[in-house]
Amino acid sequence: MIYTQSVLTLHLSNLKENYSYLKGLASHSIAAGIVKNDAYGLGIERVVPVLLQEGCQHFFVAHACEGVRVRRLAPNVQIYVLQGIGNDSLSDFISAHLTPVISTPAELVFWKQNEIESIFPILNVETGLNRLGFRLSDMKQLDDTDKKRFSFVMSHLACADEREHFMNQKQLKAFELMRSFVPDLPASLSASDGVFLGRAYQKDMVRLGAAVYGLNTAPYRPNKMKPVMSLKAPVLQIVDVPQGDYIGYGASYRAVKDMRIAIVSIGYGDGLPRSLGRRGRFFWGREELPFTGRLSMDNVMCDVTGISTLKEGDFVDVLNSFYTPDDMGADAGTIGYEILNEIGKAGRLRILED
Amino acid sequence: MIYTQSVLTLHLSNLKENYSYLKGLASHSIAAGIVKNDAYGLGIERVVPVLLQEGCQHFFVAHACEGVRVRRLAPNVQIYVLQGIGNDSLSDFISAHLTPVISTPAELVFWKQNEIESIFPILNVETGLNRLGFRLSDMKQLDDTDKKRFSFVMSHLACADEREHFMNQKQLKAFELMRSFVPDLPASLSASDGVFLGRAYQKDMVRLGAAVYGLNTAPYRPNKMKPVMSLKAPVLQIVDVPQGDYIGYGASYRAVKDMRIAIVSIGYGDGLPRSLGRRGRFFWGREELPFTGRLSMDNVMCDVTGISTLKEGDFVDVLNSFYTPDDMGADAGTIGYEILNEIGKAGRLRILED
């Protein structure tokens, strides 16, 4: 048999289990589902129905255009838009009944001029990440009418994936200070990583993203999440390369001995980061097949010297249960989030679901 | 005004000019258009009509699923599939009348068992890249009937972006040797980079990809291609950060002085490589705004200390006429090809065309 297309399997049953597990860890909080960035690359249309089945009633997206897609799937849930509302998205907020996360005084002014009936925004406050949010001086300007416009107050942790990082306590304290200006509002502080820091960080709503997608947001201990992505790629050709021959673009790899390589039908056009370079590897069972030479857009060459069982037409593992997006991210000098993003959006993989 | 969504402008008129310019450089060759990987991320449905208008009659894709999309737009052209034909794509080849590039003896056997009427594959031969293709020993096995099945013989250069690289001559010579087994077939050796090496490398068909998309495939001299992508991102918030404060995830950046930062609504979810890190920068006119702290999925913070003209709601340049995908690739430790790929596929940018 000959195969040319790589196969991405999305483990939606694992995604469901991950969500339930995290929801159980924060059982007194609302368990919101984060489906921004096309559900971390997996596809809003695939992920939202799974979370709905598990009873999720609160969804976060980054942009209004994503919220519109969630609304089509979920007519009766709350949909919060993290990047907020503006002139370029107001019509989407109205038509899809989206709730903005308001992060700047100017945005609050805009909201007061364009308020949508029965929508109560979230007030986002800055506590140490120095990203979007009201600062202390902005909080002091809020009047009582302003404060009644909101449904929640939220912030975001910078270092919650490091349990003992001093920033966690510091941000918790800063959050309590900011909350003192809006004492009647329920609060949300933590994403997946903060959930693992315990009840003090969980507040009234947790925002479950990365860990739902299988990433290890508590890397100080082995991952408890199940992987949501497996990827395998077909071997198109296996050839002998004599000592001294070059492999790949730029002739950057030279065979120091006679070797045997496999040419595998996957590349950075399928979402593998080019920065994997020589650290990249496929798996054939438990055998590692190191990349040789540069990744190209459509193909990767790897060393299969001495691997006699591998044949043309076989599929090698690119991501599996023991080599996850987190592992590939580490090899590529990045994080699992970016791996999910790129592979999920590649657009030319055969996609299966289980 | 408040804006939240970044805006990607695709300069299809520049793409058209790039194609025409390259076609002029190789005026005695067929000028095939490479639209693999969703036209380098720009979208097959956008790019194919432009190339058709310029008289392009030969298109290359990587995978049959891409060829099917080209066929819908172009009923009467030749569509070649670089990754070849297999059990997983045979039905697409038949329905969309696609032409495989055959690169292995096993694939030739498959083709003989599944030949499609009036389709004449391209024979791909290996000349030094050590990627897909018939090796010398394989050529010796071809019989006369086999040789008559093909319409072209092709190979691919490893180092054509370096004019003086020894591999160019070496591959040219190897290609002539391989051609001696199939002397009646017209030949194709060069992609964009090889076109600039002159007539000896251009043969009967050139395969125009990267340079059509504005990338500099002849980096030993300034780029003659026009950019096909501009990207701008809105400033959501501008804030003062006191000396000693941390910025971004992991508290990896600390302000060594009082500074002013802008929080910009774009991130790696929009295709900016996370590896840009501290080398990343936006532009406000000719002012550089260096990134501060880690890129996140939806936002980047940058230093705007002393830039008094920039206001919330303004758009900063992410890619423009003097900071191109090639430049961003260099800053991120990769190549412009990967930048186009990721930004093009991000899926949540507002897209304009000109």
Side-chain angles (χ1 to χ4, degrees):
Chain A
M1 302 287 272
I2 295 182
Y3 299 98
T4 60
Q5 194 177 18
S6 293
V7 179
L8 177 67
T9 304
L10 300 176
H11 306 298
L12 298 179
S13 52
N14 284 353
L15 185 139
K16 188 172 179 167
E17 282 187 48
N18 290 342
Y19 174 77
S20 294
Y21 173 80
L22 292 161
K23 190 176 168 178
L25 284 186
S27 55
H28 56 286
S29 307
I30 293 170
I34 314 297
V35 293
K36 64 180 181 155
N37 194 24
D38 205 16
Y40 284 53
L42 272 73
I44 282 175
E45 286 70 20
R46 284 192 190 93
V47 170
V48 168
V50 173
L51 297 182
L52 278 175
Q53 274 179 27
E54 291 300 288
C56 184
Q57 291 292 304
H58 298 257
F59 291 85
F60 280 82
V61 293
H63 289 278
C65 59
E66 300 170 327
V68 169
R69 291 166 58 196
V70 177
R71 181 57 78 208
R72 279 188 212 118
L73 304 160
N76 301 314
V77 302
Q78 295 292 324
I79 304 172
Y80 307 106
V81 179
L82 288 160
Q83 297 301 94
I85 188 168
N87 299 78
D88 55 352
S89 57
L90 178 59
S91 61
D92 282 344
F93 276 86
I94 295 169
S95 68
H97 211 69
L98 307 176
T99 302
V101 174
I102 290 185
S103 299
T104 74
E107 198 183 351
L108 179 56
V109 170
F110 180 88
W111 176 251
K112 289 197 265 191
Q113 290 161 351
N114 297 282
E115 202 158 4
I116 304 167
E117 203 188 316
S118 76
I119 294 282
F120 299 92
I122 293 180
L123 175 64
N124 186 25
V125 301
E126 160 51 32
T127 56
L129 183 59
N130 267 312
R131 210 169 58 176
L132 287 176
F134 273 56
R135 268 58 184 176
L136 192 57
S137 54
D138 303 322
M139 295 301 281
K140 292 176 181 164
Q141 306 296 319
L142 284 176
D143 65 28
D144 283 348
T145 325
D146 290 340
K147 294 176 187 177
K148 291 205 177 89
R149 296 175 199 276
F150 295 106
S151 56
F152 277 92
V153 55
M154 71 169 268
S155 191
H156 193 68
L157 298 169
C159 306
D161 59 344
E162 299 178 55
R163 178 180 276 281
E164 304 299 336
H165 203 293
F166 70 89
M167 284 293 285
N168 297 329
Q169 284 283 344
K170 193 173 148 88
Q171 287 198 262
L172 188 60
K173 206 170 149 190
F175 190 51
E176 295 310 331
L177 174 61
M178 299 299 260
R179 284 188 70 186
S180 68
F181 292 89
V182 285
D184 297 336
L185 291 182
S188 177
L189 175 62
S190 286
S192 307
D193 47 6
V195 169
F196 295 109
L197 299 180
R199 179 146 185 178
Y201 289 85
Q202 294 172 0
K203 309 297 177 199
D204 302 295
M205 175 162 61
V206 292
R207 306 185 303 270
L208 304 177
V212 173
Y213 301 97
L215 300 175
N216 191 358
T217 62
Y220 41 80
R221 54 124 185 84
N223 198 2
K224 290 203 162 66
M225 300 298 115
K226 298 194 169 176
V228 301
M229 216 181 238
S230 301
L231 179 58
K232 57 183 189 170
V235 174
L236 294 177
Q237 191 173 17
I238 296 179
V239 291
D240 292 314
V241 174
Q243 178 187 357
D245 249 31
Y246 296 93
I247 302 174
Y249 278 119
S252 66
Y253 184 100
R254 195 169 196 191
V256 295
K257 56 174 171 50
D258 289 347
M259 59 193 294
R260 198 164 173 75
I261 63 166
I263 298 142
V264 180
S265 190
I266 194 166
Y268 64 78
D270 305 288
L272 297 195
R274 237 185 119 256
S275 61
L276 273 174
R278 293 280 295 278
R279 288 182 301 281
R281 44 210 163 120
F282 298 130
F283 293 87
W284 173 244
R286 294 275 161 169
E287 295 276 7
E288 280 194 19
L289 314 177
F291 291 10
T292 56
R294 295 187 190 155
L295 278 82
S296 53
M297 191 183 283
D298 311 308
N299 293 289
V300 174
M301 283 76 88
C302 64
D303 186 356
V304 299
T305 309
I307 314 269
S308 58
T309 53
L310 185 72
K311 300 179 309 296
E312 293 178 358
D314 286 333
F315 280 82
V316 296
D317 282 345
V318 183
L319 294 172
N320 59 21
S321 60
F322 56 87
Y323 191 73
T324 66
D326 287 325
D327 298 316
M328 183 180 283
D331 280 343
T334 184
I335 52 177
Y337 300 66
E338 197 177 23
I339 304 297
L340 287 177
N341 176 61
E342 290 173 30
I343 291 175
K345 294 179 181 175
R348 57 182 199 175
L349 302 166
R350 184 176 299 261
I351 297 182
L352 307 176
E353 295 177 10
D354 75 9
Chain B
M1 302 286 271
I2 295 181
Y3 300 97
T4 59
Q5 195 178 18
S6 294
V7 179
L8 176 68
T9 304
L10 300 176
H11 306 298
L12 297 180
S13 53
N14 285 352
L15 185 139
K16 189 173 178 168
E17 283 187 47
N18 290 342
Y19 174 78
S20 294
Y21 174 79
L22 293 160
K23 190 175 167 179
L25 285 185
S27 55
H28 56 286
S29 306
I30 293 171
I34 313 296
V35 293
K36 65 179 182 159
N37 194 23
D38 205 16
Y40 283 53
L42 272 74
I44 282 175
E45 286 71 20
R46 285 191 188 93
V47 171
V48 168
V50 174
L51 298 182
L52 278 175
Q53 274 178 26
E54 291 299 289
C56 184
Q57 291 292 303
H58 296 257
F59 291 86
F60 280 82
V61 293
H63 289 277
C65 58
E66 300 170 327
V68 168
R69 291 167 57 194
V70 177
R71 180 58 78 208
R72 278 187 213 119
L73 305 159
N76 301 312
V77 302
Q78 295 293 322
I79 305 172
Y80 307 106
V81 180
L82 288 160
Q83 297 301 94
I85 189 169
N87 299 76
D88 55 352
S89 58
L90 177 59
S91 61
D92 282 344
F93 276 86
I94 295 169
S95 67
H97 210 70
L98 308 175
T99 303
V101 174
I102 289 185
S103 298
T104 72
E107 199 183 350
L108 179 57
V109 169
F110 180 88
W111 177 251
K112 290 196 265 191
Q113 291 162 353
N114 296 283
E115 202 157 4
I116 304 167
E117 204 188 315
S118 77
I119 293 282
F120 299 92
I122 293 180
L123 174 63
N124 186 25
V125 301
E126 160 53 31
T127 56
L129 183 59
N130 267 312
R131 210 168 59 176
L132 288 177
F134 273 57
R135 268 59 184 175
L136 192 57
S137 54
D138 303 322
M139 295 301 280
K140 292 176 180 164
Q141 306 297 319
L142 285 176
D143 65 28
D144 284 346
T145 325
D146 290 338
K147 293 175 188 178
K148 291 204 178 90
R149 296 174 199 276
F150 295 106
S151 56
F152 277 91
V153 56
M154 71 169 268
S155 191
H156 194 68
L157 297 169
C159 305
D161 58 346
E162 299 178 55
R163 178 180 276 281
E164 305 299 336
H165 203 293
F166 70 90
M167 284 292 286
N168 297 329
Q169 285 282 344
K170 193 173 147 91
Q171 286 197 264
L172 188 60
K173 205 170 149 191
F175 190 51
E176 296 310 331
L177 174 61
M178 299 299 260
R179 285 187 70 186
S180 68
F181 291 90
V182 285
D184 298 336
L185 290 182
S188 176
L189 175 61
S190 286
S192 306
D193 48 5
V195 169
F196 295 108
L197 299 181
R199 178 143 186 180
Y201 289 85
Q202 294 171 1
K203 309 298 176 199
D204 303 294
M205 175 161 63
V206 293
R207 306 185 303 270
L208 304 177
V212 173
Y213 301 97
L215 301 175
N216 191 357
T217 62
Y220 41 81
R221 54 121 185 87
N223 197 4
K224 290 202 163 64
M225 301 298 115
K226 299 194 168 175
V228 302
M229 215 181 238
S230 300
L231 179 59
K232 55 183 189 170
V235 173
L236 294 176
Q237 191 172 18
I238 296 179
V239 291
D240 292 314
V241 174
Q243 177 185 358
D245 248 32
Y246 296 93
I247 302 175
Y249 279 118
S252 65
Y253 184 99
R254 195 169 197 191
V256 295
K257 56 173 172 47
D258 288 348
M259 58 194 295
R260 198 163 173 78
I261 63 166
I263 297 142
V264 181
S265 189
I266 194 166
Y268 65 81
D270 304 289
L272 297 195
R274 238 185 120 256
S275 61
L276 272 174
R278 293 281 295 277
R279 288 182 301 280
R281 44 211 163 120
F282 297 130
F283 294 88
W284 173 243
R286 294 275 162 168
E287 295 276 6
E288 281 195 17
L289 315 177
F291 291 9
T292 55
R294 295 187 190 154
L295 280 81
S296 52
M297 192 184 282
D298 310 309
N299 293 288
V300 174
M301 284 75 88
C302 63
D303 186 357
V304 299
T305 309
I307 314 267
S308 59
T309 54
L310 184 72
K311 301 179 307 298
E312 290 178 0
D314 286 332
F315 281 82
V316 295
D317 282 345
V318 183
L319 293 172
N320 59 21
S321 60
F322 56 87
Y323 190 74
T324 66
D326 286 326
D327 298 315
M328 182 180 283
D331 280 343
T334 184
I335 52 177
Y337 300 66
E338 196 177 23
I339 304 297
L340 288 177
N341 176 62
E342 290 173 31
I343 291 176
K345 294 180 182 175
R348 57 183 200 173
L349 303 165
R350 184 176 299 259
I351 297 182
L352 307 176
E353 295 178 11
D354 75 9

